[in-house]
Amino acid sequence: MPTMTPPATTAATTLEPRGGRDASARSDAPIVAELRDLRKTYYKPDGSVMVEALRGVDLAIRKGEYVAIMGSSGSGKSTLMNVLGCLDRPSGGQYLLDGRDVGVMDDAEVSIYRGRTIGFIFQAFNLIPELTILENVAAPLFYQSVPRAQRLARAVEALRLVQLDQRLDHRPRELSGGQQQRVAIARALVTRPVVLMADEPTGNLDSATGRAILALFDDLHDSGVTIIMVTHDPLVALRCERVVRLKDGVLESDVRQTPQRPAD
């Protein structure tokens, strides 16, 4: 679990360059997610092609990178995220996740490997309403057979990172939207994943709360976490050090940039 200082909420909208960790140093970092000529085709019931969602995508993401995936509706960005997250299997090509070929795994192996290597954050918080936030965050570790005492200790540690360790016994309905998303981030971090994947994580939040959540992502990235984020918002993409754009199922552009983040 990375060590970080939780961000302070700010309403500033002025953007300034902020390099975070040295991006040049990551050129030698290990590749944690690699797609090779990846294809995904959806078929009609009669076997004919309905849509080619991904058409020969080559992409390599290194440890510590902060990558935005963008594209218009129908571009293939959601399909790409589902494949990267091992939620869907490609029709062709190869996907290496943390050095292992996901394509040779059966469904049970993929499920276990996904739980150990990927932390998910969705637009909908997907918290279990009957559980406390401590229990919500500890839940993924139950399925990894982590002993109860360790589960709870790691859940408290993750909630401390997102500044919610004083509300362990609260249930999701007692929290604001921003607090619920912080719980979701803590739940994604508790497994100590190789990659953190976020799908429009501020889509259900107001602007001020969204900025606070994005500041948290900034600090996670600065502490060394690898982040892949799907977004339609150019201002969100500006905070990333790399922007990948898809169009009609192919890579339209892959641009590295200096992150632009709100000034203090």
Side-chain angles (χ1 to χ4, degrees), residues 205-248:
L205 304 175
D206 63 77
S207 297
T209 304
R211 286 193 295 271
I213 293 298
L214 290 172
L216 178 54
F217 277 105
D218 293 342
D219 278 4
L220 288 171
H221 168 238
D222 289 344
S223 71
V225 176
T226 307
I227 303 173
I228 304 173
M229 181 183 294
V230 168
T231 182
H232 71 279
D233 189 340
L235 290 178
V236 173
L238 282 175
R239 305 176 81 113
C240 303
E241 64 183 1
R242 184 177 174 190
V243 180
V244 173
R245 293 182 184 273
L246 276 79
K247 182 177 181 180
D248 298 330

Side-chain angles (χ1 to χ4, degrees), residues 42 77-89 199:
Y42 294 99
K77 67 179 185 298
S78 294
T79 301
L80 179 61
M81 193 68 161
N82 286 340
V83 171
L84 285 169
C86 297
L87 299 174
D88 201 356
R89 288 183 178 269
D199 188 0

Side-chain angles (χ1 to χ4, degrees), residues 84-222:
L84 285 169
C86 297
L87 299 174
D88 201 356
R89 288 183 178 269
S91 305
Q94 191 176 33
Y95 176 29
L96 301 177
L97 176 60
D98 200 26
R100 292 189 59 187
D101 187 346
V102 177
V104 302
M105 302 180 188
D106 61 29
D107 289 346
E109 289 176 308
V110 169
S111 180
I112 293 171
Y113 194 58
R114 178 178 62 227
R116 294 184 183 279
T117 55
I118 300 173
F120 289 99
I121 302 163
F122 300 99
Q123 182 173 330
F125 316 127
N126 294 337
L127 302 177
I128 302 172
E130 296 82 10
L131 300 183
T132 66
I133 66 169
L134 178 63
E135 293 166 336
N136 265 282
V137 172
L141 299 177
F142 173 83
Y143 297 101
Q144 295 182 11
S145 301
V146 176
R148 185 175 186 276
Q150 292 183 33
R151 293 201 303 268
L152 296 179
R154 284 170 60 174
V156 170
E157 179 186 359
L159 285 163
R160 184 175 297 117
L161 285 176
V162 299
Q163 297 181 288
L164 285 175
D165 53 313
Q166 301 301 315
R167 309 197 70 174
L168 303 179
D169 294 329
H170 287 69
R171 285 176 167 72
R173 64 177 178 274
E174 300 174 288
L175 304 180
S176 67
Q179 289 171 329
Q180 290 186 57
Q181 190 61 293
R182 286 177 180 270
V183 175
I185 293 171
R187 181 184 56 195
L189 290 170
V190 77
T191 58
R192 298 168 183 166
V194 173
V195 180
L196 198 64
M197 296 191 179
D199 188 0
E200 301 282 5
T202 60
N204 285 338
L205 304 175
D206 63 77
S207 297
T209 304
R211 286 193 295 271
I213 293 298
L214 290 172
L216 178 54
F217 277 105
D218 293 342
D219 278 4
L220 288 171
H221 168 238
D222 289 344

Side-chain angles (χ1 to χ4, degrees), residues 245-259:
R245 293 182 184 273
L246 276 79
K247 182 177 181 180
D248 298 330
V250 299
L251 231 59
E252 181 182 37
S253 63
D254 184 352
V255 178
R256 298 182 185 276
Q257 62 185 21
T258 299

Side-chain angles (χ1 to χ4, degrees), residues 47-69:
S48 61
V49 173
M50 181 170 65
V51 62
E52 291 182 290
L54 296 174
R55 301 185 291 131
V57 174
D58 292 297
L59 180 67
I61 296 172
R62 295 184 180 274
K63 182 178 180 180
E65 285 195 295
Y66 190 178
V67 183
I69 297 177

